[in-house]
Amino acid sequence: MPVNSPVLWQTIAQQISQTTGQPFHGQERRSVSGGCINQGYCLMDGEQKYFVKLNQAQQWPMFQAEALGLEAMAATHTIRVPRPICHGSSAGHSYLVLEWLEFGQGNHDSWYRMGQNLAALHQAGGSAQFGWQTDNTIGATPQPNPWTDSWADFFAEHRLGYQLALARRRGGNFPDPTAVVPKVKDLLGDRQPTPALVHGDLWSGNGAILTTGEPVILDPATYYGDGEVDIAMTELFGGFPAGFYQGYHAIHPPEPGYQQRKTLYNLYHILNHFNLFGGGYQQQAQQMLKQCLRI
């Protein structure tokens, strides 16, 4: 059914009312950016506003997992994330309702605070293993998160190995994962980070500053991993302002070997972009494989 289905919007408004305990009729809505994967709407009833993400009905588990990730990060009381209100499916669509946030222009101090808050998130603990309570998605790609004792095993098998297998099935000219996974394990074999709750998809479009000056991170692909994966991705597509890195490193200084690991960690995202969008990402991924794994 089309997105303008009255049944869909009535269902969403009713669930907002039930969840918040405040009457909400959703009398107005306007289209806003929902990213590359979802449709986004601002749903309004007078002064009340909510951000609604929509996708096909079968994508409801994706929204459920996103809500769990946001709740887990919020529970650390370290960094602001959008508060999930409710989620579900109706009229052929799945939906996720989040609090409405007003974005502003950040300055050096607000980005410095962003870095410090992210470092605090990474140091909050919460797990003795790598993985997550459920599988989720990175963009629209499934992201397996089985609990694993070794970071090298987790990243090699459930990040790069998984994406390479997908890429080969989609016609990509990439080496067999059975040749890559052992090399990744060797490269990360001495890396024994404390499991950190990571955003998982922290490119520049998923970090912002509110009109109040408070930093916020959005659209997570949450799991427990090496906190460096978040820092690496902030450098992949344009980078964050310098104040962010100054704030983060004031709490968590760079560790030896990061520059090499950065390429390896970002290879995961470039492979995912090939699996989502194809095109020139194949050549970029091949160059990264040669750079960090000599493959």
Side-chain angles (χ1 to χ4, degrees), residues 16 18 23 30 57 100 115 125 142-144 149 160 163 180 188 201 206 215 218 229-230 242 251 259 271 282-283 286:
I16 291 173
Q18 293 170 0
R30 59 182 171 86
W100 180 262
Q143 181 170 259
D149 291 328
L160 287 190
Q163 288 282 355
V180 175
L188 294 177
D201 193 14
N206 285 343
L218 321 159
V229 299
D230 278 347
I251 294 176
Q259 290 300 322
L271 285 169
Q282 175 170 270
Q283 183 179 1
Q286 289 169 338

Side-chain angles (χ1 to χ4, degrees), residues 275-289:
N275 286 321
L276 290 172
F277 309 117
Y281 291 108
Q282 175 170 270
Q283 183 179 1
Q284 187 176 0
Q286 289 169 338
Q287 291 172 344
M288 295 170 81
L289 279 164

Side-chain angles (χ1 to χ4, degrees), residues 3-16:
V3 174
N4 61 5
S5 164
V7 173
L8 171 65
W9 294 106
Q10 289 169 7
T11 300
I12 293 173
Q14 289 170 0
Q15 193 174 4
I16 291 173

